[in-house]
């Protein structure tokens, strides 16, 4: 709250200095008076939930908690504060760094993007984006990518990888950052984020699952950014959602992330029901730390913190990058957190819990045995550069140029292959390699004239698209373009001629080339990214689903003269294909997504049949007007009110909306062809006698504290004689023994009851919630309640992969069908395999708002098939029991042999299965060279 007065000048400074915030287009817009519309509905409300649950070492966190408690018990107040607070934007070498504890040799922790590699570093790999992992439908590849990415983070000296992403989930198809995550289906996302986290953390690096929660669009995510674009909004957008939708859709994959042990979670910029993501006691204290029993720590997104003590009480554990806004030199925490504990505003137990949670994540992944000092610099590629880039001070060795890539190119290529989705094939593919004349057409086939990394954070759309833009990127070590790879292939095979035209607007040359071609490969794309970069008027989010660079016209020009046109799409999500997908001259269509550095190689493997495509669409491709949701681009609540984005579609996003509204998509969720065919038969759904579901009961212990707080204020003064103060750097120290003078808070001294929520400092035992009890939620939710079996036969002539999908109808008030199982199977020609999946209790339950628990649906219908619309087999699951009875729940559940479920429908088609003196705290980075006193 005290920042109200501080924010204005600080934020103006940011606007003036940070160019990404103020594009000329934004300026122009700002100078025109935008009309305000006002919001007429009742403003959504997020109920207060206090106190913040203290970590208890539940699940498999107990050993990590023992170590963390022992560690934190030795710390001084200022040392604890240093663990929780970043040193400020560009204060050290990573995109975020905490303070250090030199007395114990404990270094600053390094937080580094991204979800697809190491951002801002050399000699690292550019992995396929999350959306491509989703298109593989392969948990094993998700795990392998997690391991490989995190090995690179570890080699570079990163402690926390800022990924993976399951928020945005992908509510709006134009959402700018959807591609960083997996799919707009919570089950698919949850099934892939879990192995990704396990892979990352198996290497000793902490995963940071982000952005929690409902961060579903870039527009208005942050007021300063929006103002830079000319919008007169002063608060972040509020995503307004009901409890059922929250649980069944948006919270679902976060539950899987917590269950997989994610060490940290990043709270988001947006508001949730009119309470900021990092201040929201309902989403942080109640949902995340109580219901999901999250044992790790909550980190703020960069500048997503909006208040000091109240955010700590609402459940925030670490502030990043530490300053209120970039380069203000002020912090809501740091000095102010020290003051808050000294003056009793923040109970010691809450600060101790913050520190214990951070250290528990550290020990949970084994960071104590895997530590590598940071050896790269986010702010410079020079070997020697300022250690404190914010103020350009202390030149030191910042880049050691260590090659972290190992043999990761092979996993990147494998994911590229496996994520390629064949949408149409009139026999044109695979190519034989003997084509007499191959035309490669379209800018998306070639190189960025500025070089693959020529646009900072990939903030342009030049050349082939292999990742979106923003903080979710890494630099390419190289980028094999489709043009290079196809040309190489043809030249090496020694047959045919190959020509490329990479200028989409060279119309007459394109027509001349395509006329003579035996096959024309036309490359088109659509890009998006993070909101701080505007590419061609796309302010993070896409303006529409239209292909970029006049892709429709490009395809038209080629198809008008070439009857063997193969379209390859690189895109961040669905695109509008309606103008050409059913043109007879379009003989094949491939969606290749964002494949990373091996783009061209992976594509060639599929085009020429080395690999049989088996990817499936992780979203729906429909006509643009047929989606139930879109990005909100006009503020609707006046200048001073937060834009209100009501999620009125509830559960009906993506395929669920198409299904509910009876709208035929063009290519449905889960769809993808193969060079072979599959048939489905013999569905058997067998109920399993799981132990009854038991609501979790009981209460916590009283809040523990670790160590005692030295209350002698003078001990916390800045240790002038010991360390040199770095300007703008955030410290835990006081500037004066007068706490008020030290705080810079104009509201200092306000009576606590005017700003501290009731119960927020309560340390007495607290009740658990019924759906809680273990990381991820009540363990009984993962009891197996049914098995699903079917026979899948490869009816073609080549081996191929089939992703067998299980959908469930959960009855009234639910989407017609929801995904609840899948497995990617490799099947030899003529062979049959048995697909097998287990349905958990949660899979066949819906959220009951009244009891605040999951309730199992009786007799749901189970479907199995090759996509969300090709479901040849179905059966009722009988014998499902309702929740609410009493005996202890167990995650295994006892499995009976059960009785095969009677009703099996037809059976045709293709598809799958199964404290010493404070003065000893340095400026935060013991491994950095000391100041020369300049
Ligand atoms: C803001 C982005 O939203 C987040 O994803 C990223 O990790 C941080 N910036 C740090 O770069």
């Amino acid at each position: 709250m005290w920042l109200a007065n501080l924010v204005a000048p600080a934020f103006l400074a940011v606007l003036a200095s940070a160019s990404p915030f103020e594009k000329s287009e934004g300026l122009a817009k700002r100078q025109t008076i935008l009309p305000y519309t006002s919001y007429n509905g009742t403003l959504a409300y997020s109920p207060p939930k206090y106190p913040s649950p203290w970590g208890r070492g539940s699940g498999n966190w107990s050993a990590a908690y023992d170590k963390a408690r022992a560690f934190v018990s030795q710390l001084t107040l200022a040392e604890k504060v240093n663990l929780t607070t970043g040193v400020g934007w560009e204060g050290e070498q990573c995109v975020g760094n905490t303070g250090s504890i030199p007395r114990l040799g404990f270094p600053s922790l390094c937080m580094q993007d991204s979800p697809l590699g190491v951002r801002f570093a050399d000699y690292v790999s550019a992995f396929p984006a999350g959306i491509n992992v989703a298109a593989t439908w392969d948990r094993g590849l998700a795990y392998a990518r997690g391991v490989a990415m995190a090995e690179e983070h570890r080699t570079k000296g990163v402690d926390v990888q800022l990924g993976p992403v399951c928020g945005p989930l992908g509510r709006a198809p134009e959402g700018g950052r959807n591609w960083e995550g997996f799919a707009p289906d919570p089950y698919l996302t949850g099934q892939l984020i879990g192995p990704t986290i396990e892979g990352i953390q198996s290497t000793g690096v902490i995963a940071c699952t982000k952005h929690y929660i409902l961060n579903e669009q870039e527009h208005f995510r942050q007021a300063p950014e929006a103002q830079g674009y000319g919008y007169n909004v002063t608060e972040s957008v509020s995503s307004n959602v009901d409890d059922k939708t929250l649980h069944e859709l948006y919270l679902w994959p976060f539950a899987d992330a917590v269950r997989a042990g994610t060490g940290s979670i990043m709270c988001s910029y947006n508001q949730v029901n009119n309470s900021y993501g990092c201040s929201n006691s309902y989403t942080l204290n109640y949902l995340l730390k109580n219901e999901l029993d999250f044992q790790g720590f909550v980190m703020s997104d960069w500048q997503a913190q909006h208040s000091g003590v109240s955010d700590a009480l609402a459940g925030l554990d670490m502030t990043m990058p530490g300053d209120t806004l970039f380069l203000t030199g002020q912090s809501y925490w740091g000095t102010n957190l020290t003051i808050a504990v000294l003056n009793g505003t923040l109970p010691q137990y809450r600060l101790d819990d913050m520190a214990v949670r951070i250290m528990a994540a550290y020990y949970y992944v084994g960071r104590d045995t895997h530590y590598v000092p940071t050896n790269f610099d986010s702010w410079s590629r020079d070997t020697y550069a300022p250690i404190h880039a914010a103020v350009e001070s202390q030149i030191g060795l910042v880049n050691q140029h260590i090659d972290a890539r190992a043999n990761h190119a092979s996993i990147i290529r494998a994911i590229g292959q496996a994520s390629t989705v064949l949408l149409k094939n009139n026999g044109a593919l695979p190519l034989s390699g003997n084509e007499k004349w191959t035309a490669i057409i379209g800018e998306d086939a070639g190189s960025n004239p500025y070089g693959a990394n020529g646009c900072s954070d990939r903030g342009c759309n030049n050349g082939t698209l292999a990742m979106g833009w923003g903080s979710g990127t890494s630099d390419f070590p190289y980028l094999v373009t489709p043009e290079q790879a196809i040309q190489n292939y043809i030249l090496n095979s020694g047959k045919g001629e190959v020509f490329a035209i990479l200028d989409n607007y060279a119309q007459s040359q394109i027509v001349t080339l395509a006329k003579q071609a035996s096959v024309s490969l036309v490359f088109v794309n659509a890009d998006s990214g993070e909101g701080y970069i505007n590419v061609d008027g796309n302010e993070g989010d896409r303006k529409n689903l239209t292909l970029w660079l006049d892709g429709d016209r490009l395809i038209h020009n080629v198809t008008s003269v070439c009857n063997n046109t193969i379209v390859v799409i690189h895109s961040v999500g669905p695109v509008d294909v309606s103008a050409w997908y059913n043109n007879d001259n379009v003989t094949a269509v491939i969606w290749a997504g964002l494949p990373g550095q091996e783009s061209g190689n992976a594509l060639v493997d599929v085009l020429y049949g080395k690999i049989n495509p088996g990817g499936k669409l992780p979203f729906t491709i429909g006509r643009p007007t047929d989606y139930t949701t879109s990005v909100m681009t006009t503020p609707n609540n006046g200048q001073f009110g937060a834009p209100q984005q009501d999620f009125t579609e509830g559960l009906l996003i993506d395929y669920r909306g198409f299904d509910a509204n009876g709208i035929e998509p063009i290519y449905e969720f889960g769809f993808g062809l193969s060079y072979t065919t599959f048939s489905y038969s013999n569905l058997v759904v067998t109920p399993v006698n799981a132990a009854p579901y038991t609501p979790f009961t009981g209460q916590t212990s009283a809040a523990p504290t670790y160590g005692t707080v030295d209350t002698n204020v003078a001990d916390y003064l800045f240790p002038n004689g010991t360390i040199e103060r770095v300007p703008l750097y955030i410290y835990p120290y006081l500037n004066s023994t007068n706490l008020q003078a030290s705080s810079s808070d104009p509201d200092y001294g306000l009576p606590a009851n005017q700003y501290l929520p009731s119960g927020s400092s309560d340390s007495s035992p607290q009740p658990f919630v019924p759906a809680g009890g273990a990381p991820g939620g009540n363990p009984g939710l993962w009891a197996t309640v049914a098995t699903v079996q079917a026979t899948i036969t490869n009816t073609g002539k080549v081996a191929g992969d089939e992703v067998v999908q299980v959908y469930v109808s959960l009855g009234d008030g639910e989407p017609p069908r929801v995904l609840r199982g899948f497995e990617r199977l490799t099947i030899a020609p003529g062979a049959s395999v048995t697909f097998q999946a287990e349905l958990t209790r949660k899979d066949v339950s819906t959220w009951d708002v009244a009891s605040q628990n999951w309730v199992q649906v009786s007799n749901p219908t189970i479907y199995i098939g090759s996509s969300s619309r090709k479901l040849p087999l179905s059966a009722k699951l009988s014998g499902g029991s309702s929740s609410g009875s009493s005996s202890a729940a167990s995650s295994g559940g006892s499995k009976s042999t059960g009785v095969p479920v009677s009703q099996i429908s037809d059976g045709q088609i293709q598809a799958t299965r199964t404290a010493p003196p404070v003065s000893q705290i340095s400026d935060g980075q013991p491994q950095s060279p000391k100041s020369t006193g300049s």
Side-chain angles (χ1 to χ4, degrees), residues 113 119 162 177 210-211 266 269 301-302 471 530:
D113 297 301
R119 185 187 183 200
L162 301 175
R177 299 183 74 179
K210 64 189 189 181
H211 308 82
M266 186 186 290
Y269 288 126
D301 199 343
W302 272 232
S471 65
E530 191 175 349

Side-chain angles (χ1 to χ4, degrees), residues 5-343:
N5 296 338
L6 255 188
V7 161
F11 132 69
L12 284 180
V14 168
L15 266 188
S17 65
S19 57
F21 289 147
E22 190 76 353
K23 307 276 173 198
S24 53
E25 191 182 334
L27 245 187
K29 246 196 245 175
R30 217 142 61 88
Q31 283 156 358
T32 47
I33 310 242
L34 293 177
Y36 299 126
T37 49
S38 37
Y39 182 78
N40 292 325
T42 309
L43 288 182
Y45 172 71
S46 188
K49 292 283 183 182
Y50 296 95
S52 188
W54 31 97
R56 57 197 186 98
S58 53
N60 58 0
W61 284 74
S62 150
Y65 261 73
D66 289 346
K67 291 182 193 162
R69 286 168 179 143
F71 182 85
V72 171
S73 298
Q74 323 163 61
L75 302 185
T76 66
L77 168 58
E79 287 169 336
K80 289 172 187 170
V81 167
N82 241 13
L83 273 182
T84 69
T85 303
V87 299
W89 179 241
E90 298 191 357
E92 297 285 348
Q93 290 155 254
C94 303
V95 297
N97 278 87
T98 59
S100 63
I101 306 171
R103 180 178 66 87
L104 300 176
F106 189 81
S108 159
L109 295 175
C110 163
M111 325 284 147
Q112 191 70 10
D113 297 301
S114 76
L116 61 63
V118 186
R119 185 187 183 200
F120 291 149
D122 53 14
Y123 302 103
V124 294
S125 304
F127 288 84
I131 197 170
N132 278 62
V133 178
T136 69
W137 297 62
D138 189 324
R139 299 174 183 87
L141 288 176
Y143 181 86
R145 172 175 169 272
V147 171
M149 289 192 303
E151 282 173 350
E152 299 195 11
H153 278 275
R154 188 181 62 198
T155 301
K156 289 290 187 180
V158 174
D159 298 290
V160 183
Q161 177 180 353
L162 301 175
V165 170
C166 59
L169 180 66
R171 171 182 182 265
E174 310 89 352
R177 299 183 74 179
N178 295 352
W179 56 273
E180 292 186 40
F182 299 91
D185 179 88
Y187 180 86
L188 180 56
T189 293
Q191 290 294 307
L192 296 171
I193 204 165
T196 303
I197 289 163
E198 285 159 7
I200 291 171
Q201 298 196 155
S202 72
T203 71
V205 170
I206 300 170
C208 180
T209 302
K210 64 189 189 181
H211 308 82
Y212 184 77
I213 189 172
L214 299 168
N215 191 168
E216 293 294 322
Q217 65 170 52
E218 294 303 284
H219 277 77
F220 320 131
R221 64 177 189 153
Q222 297 184 92
E225 183 178 280
Q227 288 165 355
Y229 285 126
Y231 302 102
N232 278 315
V233 295
T234 50
E235 302 289 348
S236 297
V237 63
S238 177
S239 298
N240 302 327
V241 72
D242 62 89
D243 192 34
K244 182 178 173 72
T245 303
L246 188 51
H247 276 85
E248 295 185 17
L249 215 45
Y250 299 100
L251 188 64
W252 183 291
F254 282 103
D256 288 320
V258 173
R259 189 157 183 259
T262 188
S264 64
I265 287 196
M266 186 186 290
C267 53
S268 56
Y269 288 126
N270 57 289
Q271 302 195 60
V272 175
N273 294 336
N274 290 298
S275 170
Y276 273 100
C278 295
S279 316
N280 192 313
S281 63
Y282 182 78
T283 55
L284 298 177
N285 285 343
Y286 182 73
L287 291 180
L288 184 61
K289 290 186 172 176
N290 197 343
E291 186 178 317
L292 299 188
D293 203 21
F294 174 54
Q295 298 298 305
F297 65 96
V298 175
M299 174 199 303
S300 72
D301 199 343
W302 272 232
Q303 311 181 103
Q305 189 182 10
H306 291 266
S307 74
V309 170
S310 49
D311 281 7
L313 295 171
L316 182 66
D317 302 306
M318 180 188 280
T319 177
M320 278 292 142
D323 33 13
T324 50
L325 291 169
F326 292 169
L327 306 179
T328 57
Q330 308 257 16
S331 182
Y332 293 102
W333 285 2
T335 301
N336 279 302
L337 204 56
T338 306
I339 293 172
V341 174
L342 287 174
N343 72 12

